[in-house]
Amino acid sequence: VTQSTTRPRRAGTDGAQTAREARLARDGRKRPATKALDNPLREGLRLERMPDPFAFVLFGATGDLAHRKVIPALYQLWRTHLLPHEFCLVAFGRRDYDDESYRQEIRGSLEKHSRVLPLDETAWRQFSERIVYQRGDFSDDAAFERLGTRLEEVSRTAGTLGNVLFYLATQSSAFAEIVGGLGRAGLDHEVHTSGWRRIVIEKPFGRDLDSAVRLNREVGKVFRERQVYRIDHYLGKETVRNLLVFRFGNGIFEPIWNRRYVDHVQITVAEAIGIENRGSFYEETGAARDILQNHLLQLVTLVAMEPPVAFTADALRNEKVKVLRAIAEMTSAEQAGRDIVRGQYGRGWVEGEEVPGYREEPEVDPESETETFVAAKLEVDDWRWGGVPFYLRTGKRLPKRATEIAIQFKAVPHRLFADANADPEPNLLAIRIQPDEGILLRFSSKVPGLGLDIRPVNMDFTYGSSFSVDSPDSYETLILDALLGDQSLFTRSDEVEAAWTIVTPIIEAWTGMPPPEFPDYPAGTWGPEAAEELIRRDGRSWRRI
Amino acid sequence: MASTSAPRRSRPTRPAVAGPGEPLLRWSSRATTIAGIQLELARIWSEPKLVASVDGVEERRIAARTSVMNLVVIALRPEIGKRAAATIARLTGRHPSRTLIVLARDPEGRNSLRARIEAHCILPRADAPETCAEMIHLEVGGQAGRHLAAVVAPLLVHDLPVTLWWPDEPPFGAPEAEALFRMADRLVVDGSSWGGDGLDRLSRMAATVQAHGLAVSDLALVRQSRWREAIASVFDMPGLLPYLRYVRRIAVTYAAAEASAPAGGVNVVKPVYHVAWLASRLGMTVREPVALRAERRRSQGTGAAARVHAGLLEGPHGEVKVTIGPLASELPSGTTLRVELLCDRRGSELRAAITAAAETVDAQAWVDGLSVLQRSYLAPRRTDVDLLEEAVESGTRDPVAAATIRFAAELAARPSVERPDPVASEQVT
């Protein structure tokens, strides 16, 4: 078979192209028409769509991410018949394995990390037959040449039709090197004889605006934007995806989803765990880079975005980018000091166990100034949200693992029940992302009895009780999307840069400030006092989660 | 029917806790009147002794009662009811419903109603509260069995959609069945289980569906989703897509005990659905409905004439021949073995063949004799639970399925002059 399935169709074949269409097409920005639109037999089959045959080249194949997430996700997709027979996992790593010993290694890690255990022996046998190991060093051009030869061989023997997905599950410092190597070996080429080529890049994508722009440029020299899938696994979570359905699939919420009715928004990404033996990584990263720049800002965009014109990758991402651009930058250190709080945990108790402080963790500088907690007050300065603060917080070693978006509505305009024992509380809509995924709406109700007591009650929807079925892991969702060529849940280059435009000035402002007095919150508490003050001074408080 | 509540026995059952995802019978009681059933349903949820034993210690788990739909099963034979109940219990987790399994028996006997009320619960996760759904087994005797709608209606949870699952042969057109169709939002049937070639009933179903504005899920059609996937995949290739508008022939081969046996005895609903799906997607119309005719098969070389269904469609670029023929096979009769498409575009010929293998569906395509595609799709045999789940999961109306069934009915239409429809008089609108 010789056709490439993903090359963009020429825009305007039936008539003249506009200059803009021509430019967009040239820039690779215009998403190729989807198969579903082209092929009338695809209508109604979307959920059943099966990816084209493909080779999955996994860089960092011996690393933690590959073992814990990527390969279990692929195995699960295979086990549930969502991958074509003609697929091959080409594991690329520096360590000295051969096909068989690598398969044994994978078997061991699947037995620990697979979502469904015990392993299905038949599925594992078929899956393992499709795994090959390719030894090589990222800095060695010859290794990429050998990879190219192996891919040609795989294309012939496994029938993968030349379609290749490159997955970078390595340290971020290796991204540019790998992309360069792929480019020099010509492995990015989508010529008509060799199927599609796509690349999935893990976070963190850069460590500030400059490095993100540089990395985008390096990637852009080799791959077109439509070939690039920057992964943020939060976007693959079921509840996050449901947020779009909740907002745009229901008529009753969108009319009140604005400054007129919403008092403020709170988004919490709390982790009970510490840094889990990743001290050297975290020392270089910190909470602002690790969570705020990607997960938290992505959640803000999904809450605040305007309805997209279509449910397509670029229509969605266009709206998300607008939100990021509308978030006021922290242009001064003073502003950053006022609206952003950082913190670091000290020794304390979490889930009934005493845990060390951050500075006592392995591979961490005893004088470290790395933040393990960030709280921020941001404003989305647009027509819909002007004047509505978005309070965000994330941290390690908080009392529990919880991710939640809370839309706090304004109080009723008129105190009708002034004689009641308590004023009605303003309505609240809480979208729990993990754990106990669900949606809660709080409203006031009269307490039964002769008096007029008003109490808030909850209308609570829990995914677990309405659909007691396992949601797919976010990696399964996202890998399948990448294989199907759907970029909706992946971050576009301008989106990454816009997010860094918000976060970089904050990080830079911190470097110009006097050293923080860390640690400033005991492990097992909801962050430093300054975080409480950040919201308290506006007459509000963090939700008790 | 008696209006007083008869004596009843009720017992919360106390088995050990099942693992997460495993359904468990947690309550069972009996009643003989509608009012009695309603009382029992209320008692289930006020019963303080819904307990489970965990490591030898009895503890109560908070049971959340959930329903996303009413599921009414009309079982004309007890074994069908039993099988349906087992299937539905396994569906509790994903689609908790109030289920009524209705069995009409002894129509000449005394009016009677016997009901067994059960609560089936599952633990979504080990640490989550239980989710429970109600299942009511109803045995309706005497004349009441001809008025099942009157028994079912008061037991439905209001404001929830009603799915009517008729596992056997629904008597489309019969007044008692029509009354049930009227109260349903969705009808679930299995066209491949119908007697004869199934085509008469298919036509009558299409008329009923249209008359009542019912959404319909035919498990025979649901079962073929992997086939549709495989067929569609051929035309995902940009080079082959243009041929799709130039289909000249659609041929479907199905399994039969003997290829030369009279085809009228084998249910051909599934093969007809293949043609109907393709034709409705491609904007074709029926010029001549399929009719049986004898055809000598070159490939078999036995000299025996197979009886095939042949018809004629009108496509965007001319006529399209349809043949649906049997092939001797050990597989269950009526199982699709192969779907072939022949396209002729400006002198270039595309032939696509989708074939069933042991665990896969294989797609192959040739352009002017040269192989351009060879792919396999895993197609594991799906259980009743999978099929029912997919059928009810499609939620509201599935326009593709509706169009396919409508087209299949047109394709199967029997010309009244040559062969009077023996059931036409039963049809109601």
Side-chain angles (χ1 to χ4, degrees):
Chain A
V1 178
T2 56
Q3 284 78 4
S4 156
T5 55
T6 57
R7 294 194 68 78
R9 293 159 66 90
R10 285 174 86 94
T13 45
D14 296 327
Q17 265 184 330
T18 65
R20 185 166 177 281
E21 278 172 342
R23 181 170 51 76
L24 285 173
R26 195 183 55 235
D27 289 349
R29 288 278 170 92
K30 191 172 176 69
R31 192 166 182 269
T34 63
K35 289 175 187 174
L37 293 176
D38 285 342
N39 181 350
L41 301 182
R42 278 284 167 206
E43 194 184 336
L45 290 184
R46 199 187 177 305
L47 288 176
E48 288 286 331
R49 239 175 100 189
M50 168 103 39
D52 302 324
F54 67 98
F56 190 100
V57 179
L58 180 58
F59 291 96
T62 56
D64 191 48
L65 181 66
H67 280 64
R68 277 191 311 114
K69 292 290 182 186
V70 181
I71 294 173
L74 275 174
Y75 166 75
Q76 184 65 14
L77 290 172
W78 174 262
R79 200 185 68 83
T80 49
H81 312 295
L82 290 167
L83 298 185
H85 256 200
E86 305 87 347
F87 116 83
C88 182
L89 168 60
V90 181
F92 189 98
R94 274 182 281 228
R95 292 194 209 161
D96 190 13
Y97 285 107
D98 59 21
D99 293 353
E100 202 41 52
S101 58
Y102 183 73
R103 286 170 190 161
Q104 287 312 312
E105 172 88 7
I106 290 304
R107 164 96 199 195
S109 69
L110 278 179
E111 279 170 352
K112 270 189 277 179
H113 301 298
S114 172
R115 199 156 63 79
V116 180
L117 287 171
L119 295 184
D120 175 336
E121 287 303 329
T122 311
W124 160 251
R125 182 176 47 75
Q126 296 167 335
F127 183 71
S128 68
E129 284 165 2
R130 290 168 170 78
I131 301 176
V132 297
Y133 187 78
Q134 178 71 28
R135 195 177 162 204
D137 197 291
F138 305 150
S139 59
D140 177 10
D141 279 355
F144 286 91
E145 298 291 343
R146 287 197 298 276
L147 175 63
T149 310
R150 187 86 187 241
L151 285 174
E152 282 171 21
E153 186 189 314
V154 161
S155 184
R156 278 196 310 276
T157 56
T160 57
L161 306 184
N163 298 320
V164 184
L165 184 89
F166 299 105
Y167 196 109
L168 309 194
T170 63
Q171 298 277 9
S172 55
S173 53
F175 291 168
E177 198 172 26
I178 296 170
V179 170
L182 290 172
R184 285 189 294 281
L187 296 178
D188 58 305
H189 288 179
E190 285 185 343
V191 287
H192 72 283
T193 53
S194 70
W196 50 252
R197 301 289 157 113
R198 295 174 194 148
I199 184 163
V200 177
I201 304 179
E202 274 284 344
K203 83 173 180 80
F205 198 86
R207 50 176 289 107
D208 53 23
L209 180 57
D210 282 349
S211 58
V213 169
R214 265 201 313 278
L215 183 53
N216 269 336
R217 200 182 305 136
E218 292 301 317
V219 172
K221 281 180 193 167
V222 178
F223 291 96
R224 293 182 187 192
E225 184 60 30
R226 64 171 174 74
Q227 294 175 284
V228 183
Y229 294 72
R230 292 172 197 81
I231 202 165
D232 180 341
H233 71 266
Y234 251 59
L235 295 183
K237 287 185 181 291
E238 198 70 10
T239 330
V240 174
R241 295 161 69 211
N242 186 41
L243 187 56
L244 291 171
V245 176
F246 181 77
R247 281 196 59 196
F248 305 124
N250 292 296
I252 61 170
F253 299 109
E254 205 48 31
I256 53 169
W257 209 263
N258 55 49
R259 64 191 300 278
R260 192 163 169 200
Y261 298 98
V262 175
D263 179 74
H264 72 279
V265 177
Q266 288 187 25
I267 304 181
T268 303
V269 177
E271 292 178 285
I273 56 167
I275 51 172
E276 304 282 285
N277 297 322
R278 295 193 307 152
S280 58
F281 161 78
Y282 207 81
E283 277 287 274
E284 292 295 310
T285 314
R289 290 189 175 96
D290 192 34
I291 306 284
L292 174 64
Q293 186 271 342
N294 38 72
H295 301 334
L296 264 175
L297 285 179
Q298 284 293 328
L299 294 180
V300 172
T301 60
L302 292 172
V303 171
M305 69 193 271
E306 293 296 320
V309 290
F311 195 58
T312 60
D314 273 341
L316 272 171
R317 299 190 295 183
N318 287 344
E319 297 305 332
K320 285 165 65 192
V321 170
K322 282 186 203 164
V323 173
L324 293 171
R325 291 191 180 141
I327 293 175
E329 288 176 34
M330 300 292 150
T331 48
S332 66
E334 184 200 341
Q335 206 178 349
R338 192 182 63 230
D339 289 343
I340 312 289
V341 170
R342 57 181 163 157
Q344 188 191 76
Y345 63 86
R347 179 167 283 273
W349 287 77
V350 178
E351 295 174 350
E353 282 186 23
E354 189 173 20
V355 296
Y358 176 71
R359 289 177 174 180
E360 302 165 57
E361 300 270 14
E363 302 172 25
V364 171
D365 179 354
E367 304 281 298
S368 173
E369 292 181 13
T370 303
E371 80 286 355
T372 61
F373 177 95
V374 181
K377 176 188 170 187
L378 300 179
E379 298 229 348
V380 180
D381 196 7
D382 64 9
W383 193 279
R384 183 189 283 257
W385 294 111
V388 178
F390 281 66
Y391 298 99
L392 319 178
R393 61 177 168 167
T394 180
K396 296 273 186 196
R397 288 285 186 221
L398 300 186
K400 66 201 278 196
R401 170 173 165 261
T403 301
E404 189 206 72
I405 297 166
I407 314 290
Q408 182 69 62
F409 291 95
K410 291 185 174 174
V412 289
H414 172 56
R415 287 187 60 195
L416 183 63
F417 304 109
D419 294 338
N421 289 339
D423 275 343
E425 280 187 20
N427 298 112
L428 171 91
L429 182 76
I431 299 163
R432 293 188 303 271
I433 290 167
Q434 63 184 17
D436 292 334
E437 295 90 334
I439 295 169
L440 173 147
L441 180 66
R442 178 176 297 168
F443 55 90
S444 294
S445 173
K446 181 183 173 303
V447 178
L450 297 176
L452 186 59
D453 278 349
I454 297 175
R455 282 211 206 131
V457 292
N458 292 342
M459 202 149 74
D460 200 349
F461 158 74
T462 319
Y463 262 75
S465 61
S466 291
F467 309 104
S468 66
V469 63
D470 270 352
S471 295
D473 179 79
S474 51
Y475 276 86
E476 292 164 30
T477 303
L478 293 172
I479 288 173
L480 189 62
D481 276 2
L483 292 171
L484 291 167
D486 184 348
Q487 291 182 305
S488 306
L489 299 177
F490 295 86
T491 325
R492 207 168 56 190
S493 61
D494 53 348
E495 211 176 336
V496 170
E497 290 173 16
W500 278 120
T501 306
I502 296 164
V503 174
T504 304
I506 296 170
I507 296 169
E508 284 173 354
W510 285 342
T511 57
M513 289 182 190
E517 291 179 11
F518 283 167
D520 56 0
Y521 70 97
T525 65
W526 283 105
E529 174 57 27
E532 299 295 329
E533 181 53 29
L534 172 79
I535 191 166
R536 194 188 302 136
R537 67 168 192 244
D538 294 341
R540 302 180 176 109
S541 60
W542 291 108
R543 266 176 51 69
R544 203 178 305 135
I545 292 176
Chain B
M1 199 170 299
S3 60
T4 52
S5 182
R8 59 180 181 262
R9 291 177 289 130
S10 63
R11 57 184 171 89
T13 58
R14 298 183 187 185
V17 175
E22 288 296 311
L24 196 62
L25 175 63
R26 303 277 272 138
W27 172 278
S28 177
S29 62
R30 290 178 187 276
T32 55
T33 62
I34 296 292
I37 296 168
Q38 287 166 333
L39 196 64
E40 285 305 304
L41 287 170
R43 268 161 48 87
I44 292 179
W45 308 110
S46 59
E47 170 63 56
K49 289 181 182 169
L50 274 182
V51 290
S53 171
V54 180
D55 297 333
V57 180
E58 285 198 341
E59 65 170 40
R60 182 175 185 201
R61 287 174 179 263
I62 302 161
R65 170 202 181 191
T66 54
S67 291
V68 296
M69 64 176 169
N70 294 291
L71 180 54
V72 180
V73 184
I74 306 297
L76 297 181
R77 296 196 305 273
E79 63 273 19
I80 290 178
K82 213 177 264 184
R83 217 178 105 200
T87 304
I88 291 160
R90 304 219 59 95
L91 209 64
T92 299
R94 197 166 172 107
H95 297 282
S97 54
R98 174 175 287 182
T99 304
L100 310 177
I101 298 177
V102 188
L103 185 63
R105 59 191 341 181
D106 193 13
E108 305 307 324
R110 200 166 54 86
N111 275 355
S112 66
L113 174 66
R114 283 194 294 170
R116 194 169 78 246
I117 301 110
E118 296 173 348
H120 291 260
C121 303
I122 70 157
L123 275 178
R125 295 188 312 273
D127 58 344
E130 279 186 340
T131 301
C132 301
E134 303 142 332
M135 188 181 284
I136 305 164
H137 301 260
L138 292 162
E139 277 183 32
V140 187
Q143 279 296 309
R146 296 190 192 281
H147 302 279
L148 291 179
V151 177
V152 167
L155 295 175
L156 298 176
V157 182
H158 63 87
D159 268 345
L160 285 183
V162 178
T163 296
L164 180 65
W165 181 19
W166 207 305
D168 212 353
E169 307 221 8
F172 295 108
E176 59 266 33
E178 294 296 315
L180 285 164
F181 297 142
R182 263 195 294 278
M183 68 168 62
D185 298 285
R186 170 175 295 277
L187 173 66
V188 179
V189 296
D190 184 355
S192 60
S193 69
W194 296 340
D197 64 9
L199 298 185
D200 282 335
R201 202 171 292 277
L202 183 63
S203 300
R204 282 181 286 146
M205 177 173 80
T208 296
V209 163
Q210 190 157 5
H212 298 293
L214 269 172
V216 64
S217 297
D218 188 340
L219 301 185
L221 183 60
V222 175
R223 225 176 252 127
Q224 296 173 339
S225 56
R226 289 279 179 214
W227 281 84
R228 291 193 286 277
E229 181 65 42
I231 295 169
S233 75
V234 172
F235 299 96
D236 282 340
M237 297 176 63
L240 304 188
L241 182 61
Y243 286 91
L244 200 49
R245 291 178 62 78
Y246 297 87
V247 176
R248 291 280 178 254
R249 194 165 78 90
I250 303 172
V252 184
T253 312
Y254 60 89
E258 289 174 43
S260 56
V266 177
N267 181 302
V268 291
V269 169
K270 283 197 280 187
V272 165
Y273 275 152
H274 280 300
V275 178
W277 168 68
L278 275 164
S280 62
R281 288 303 89 214
L282 300 177
M284 296 177 186
T285 51
V286 177
R287 199 195 277 183
E288 290 173 21
V290 289
L292 269 178
R293 71 159 199 246
E295 185 181 76
R296 199 166 296 277
R297 288 281 182 82
R298 275 174 297 170
S299 57
Q300 290 167 29
T302 59
R307 297 192 72 194
V308 301
H309 286 86
L312 205 57
L313 306 176
E314 186 67 42
H317 292 276
E319 69 179 30
V320 180
K321 286 183 181 152
V322 173
T323 54
I324 298 171
L327 188 67
S329 165
E330 290 175 353
L331 290 174
S333 284
T335 304
T336 310
L337 299 175
R338 189 175 171 91
V339 176
E340 282 181 275
L341 286 176
L342 184 73
C343 310
D344 186 357
R345 176 173 174 258
R346 297 172 193 161
S348 174
E349 184 187 88
L350 167 76
R351 196 157 66 81
I354 291 79
T355 318
E359 288 181 353
T360 56
V361 174
D362 300 332
Q364 288 173 284
W366 301 264
V367 171
D368 298 328
L370 288 175
S371 171
V372 289
L373 176 92
Q374 190 156 14
R375 290 186 62 178
S376 292
Y377 294 86
L378 280 175
R381 190 150 183 81
R382 290 191 292 170
T383 63
D384 284 357
V385 181
D386 300 334
L387 293 171
L388 186 63
E389 183 174 331
E390 193 171 328
V392 296
E393 211 160 56
S394 52
T396 50
R397 279 158 182 69
D398 172 358
V400 175
T404 302
I405 290 169
R406 209 165 40 239
F407 200 100
E410 286 176 32
L411 193 60
R414 300 277 153 84
S416 56
V417 180
E418 293 172 28
R419 183 179 164 181
D421 185 347
V423 290
S425 58
E426 288 179 34
Q427 289 194 17
V428 293
T429 53

